[in-house]
């Protein structure tokens, strides 16, 4: 809805401290990322761990869907919404993020494969 209303939002900048003492800087400056961030901020709040995690994971999932061909059969996009495989959503919500605050595609794909194998009616 925010994109349809052209409510792009402002650029946002984050600095994360890593356990090794270093930092990771992240800029959400393109209009699409800013729009997602503004929408999540309005709904959940980016000032909370939940809101920030949700935002980064949603952006990571959007990036993955745009670049990883193997996700095509797991998603049906329509003008009024999207239908996303529950295993893919679960993996996007639970796999560790990389140092660059992206979804770890290798772990995510393995998690989706495991969920599909464990699904009722899956072939042994």
């Amino acid at each position: 809805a925010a994109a349809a209303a052209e409510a792009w939002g402002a650029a946002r900048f984050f600095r994360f401290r890593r356990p090794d003492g270093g930092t990771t800087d992240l800029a959400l400056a393109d209009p699409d990322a800013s729009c997602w961030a503004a929408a999540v901020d309005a709904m959940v709040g980016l000032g909370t761990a939940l809101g920030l995690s949700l935002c980064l994971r949603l952006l990571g999932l959007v990036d993955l869907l745009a670049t990883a061909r193997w996700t095509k059969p797991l998603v049906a996009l329509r003008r009024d919404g999207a239908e996303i495989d529950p295993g893919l959503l679960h993996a996007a919500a639970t796999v560790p993020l990389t140092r660059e605050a992206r979804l770890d595609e290798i772990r995510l794909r393995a998690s989706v494969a495991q969920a599909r194998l464990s699904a009722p009616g899956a072939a042994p």
Side-chain angles (χ1 to χ4, degrees), residues 2-64:
E6 297 184 15
W8 301 118
R12 295 168 190 261
F13 303 92
F14 303 93
R15 173 167 283 164
F16 301 96
R17 296 199 191 287
R18 296 190 309 260
D20 66 5
T23 59
T24 297
D25 292 323
L26 175 67
L28 300 180
D30 72 77
D32 291 326
S34 296
C35 182
W36 278 97
V40 171
D41 196 20
M43 293 176 69
V44 182
L46 288 178
T48 67
L50 173 65
L52 185 55
S53 177
L54 177 63
C55 183
L56 294 177
R57 290 175 182 284
L58 281 171
L59 289 171
L61 182 58
V62 169
D63 180 56
L64 183 78

Side-chain angles (χ1 to χ4, degrees), residues 59-75 77 88 102-110 112:
L59 289 171
L61 182 58
V62 169
D63 180 56
L64 183 78
L65 294 176
T67 60
R69 291 164 125 357
W70 63 268
T71 63
K72 279 196 177 273
L74 303 174
V75 179
L77 299 175
L88 178 57
R102 293 177 170 266
L103 291 175
D104 184 329
E105 184 178 351
I106 293 169
R107 285 181 156 172
L108 189 130
R109 191 170 187 177
V112 170

